[in-house]
Amino acid sequence: QAILGSRSAAHSCPSQRLHDMPLRPADVERLPPMIPGADVAEAQRLEDLKQFRKYLVDTGGVKALMKLFQHTAQNEMRLDNPTLLKDFLGKYQEESFESSEEVTLWRENEEFRKHNGELEEHVKRLEVELDEAQRLRLSSQLWAELAPGAGAVELSLGALYTRLCGNDTEACPDAISEASEVVVSKEPFCAWVAWLDDSLRAWIQATLLPRLAAAGGAPPFESELKKDAGMSRDLREFLLETAKRFSEE
């Protein structure tokens, strides 16, 4: 029983055994120093005071209090004057934050920001208008090269193929052959070309228009088809997209 009692006592008081264990000097040196609670409270009080002073300086409170004290010392030595604060605030209103130089600069900056925003919106609108004008110019140039005559306002799909590829109908896509009598008007065609996808518009600008201009009225792709070089992918895509768009009307 004495042995069991000693074992149960040993197992029931682990904290007592840890408390009785001695600390090595090296462990004691690594422990942080204990700070009294009063010192912690004082440090917090000083930090709060520092932040409050900073707040008074940032908001202009110190300047206002100094002016109040100066006014009191110069004009009102009787601190029991009931109108002291009202009179001071009435005189101080002209120099208040609302009319200070900082507010003036702030308002000017706000006006500049607003004006800059308006200018940016105006620039964006001009960029959109410029892009639209360039697109329409490209489509108008293409129509002028494709349509027979300066004043032509209509062009059939069959005439479009002949203008580009000549009379060789073997290479003509079925979509064009089946809709060769479909008539395309100038305005819908120009509007459609203006908003084609970027890759096809880039091909029109870089390849199709220069070749039409260099051919001098002859079909620019006729020689390639006669040499059995085949129709280029971009040309075929342009013809198929044209047939798809205008044969549906």
Side-chain angles (χ1 to χ4, degrees), residues 40-224:
V40 175
E42 179 64 15
Q44 185 62 45
R45 185 185 70 81
L46 294 176
E47 179 63 23
D48 293 342
L49 182 60
K50 179 180 178 181
Q51 294 298 326
F52 180 66
R53 288 174 178 171
K54 185 176 184 300
Y55 169 77
L56 291 178
V57 172
D58 293 342
T59 57
V62 173
K63 184 178 179 181
L65 291 174
M66 289 297 299
K67 291 199 174 196
L68 176 61
F69 293 150
Q70 290 174 0
H71 175 80
T72 302
Q74 293 174 3
N75 304 303
E76 299 289 346
M77 296 304 297
R78 295 179 295 104
L79 296 181
D80 57 345
N81 182 0
T83 62
L84 172 62
L85 183 60
K86 180 179 179 180
D87 295 341
F88 169 76
L89 292 178
K91 294 179 181 179
Y92 183 70
Q93 184 176 4
E94 297 179 356
E95 303 177 2
S96 65
F97 180 75
E98 294 297 329
S99 60
S100 64
E101 182 179 0
E102 291 83 355
V103 173
T104 302
L105 293 175
W106 179 81
R107 289 174 177 170
E108 290 178 355
N109 289 335
E110 287 298 314
E111 292 178 359
F112 286 139
R113 292 191 187 98
K114 182 179 178 181
H115 184 60
N116 288 339
E118 294 174 353
L119 290 178
E120 290 177 357
E121 291 296 327
H122 184 61
V123 169
K124 291 179 181 179
R125 288 195 297 269
L126 290 178
E127 289 176 347
V128 171
E129 293 175 1
L130 177 61
D131 179 66
E132 183 177 355
Q134 290 175 340
R135 289 171 178 268
L136 291 175
R137 180 173 177 270
L138 176 68
S139 61
S140 298
Q141 289 176 340
L142 179 60
W143 178 266
E145 292 289 346
L146 293 175
V153 295
E154 290 183 344
L155 178 70
S156 68
L157 292 181
L160 171 65
Y161 176 81
T162 302
R163 175 69 182 90
L164 294 175
C165 304
N167 296 321
D168 185 1
T169 59
E170 293 183 1
C172 182
D174 293 338
I176 293 291
S177 300
E178 295 170 359
S180 61
E181 300 300 324
V182 173
V183 176
V184 180
S185 299
K186 177 180 178 179
E187 290 187 4
F189 179 82
C190 291
W192 172 70
V193 171
W195 298 102
L196 283 173
D197 62 86
D198 293 341
S199 61
L200 202 52
R201 280 193 309 106
W203 173 78
I204 292 173
Q205 184 172 13
T207 303
L208 181 56
L209 279 175
R211 294 192 62 170
L212 284 168
F221 300 99
E222 184 177 20
S223 59
E224 295 179 5

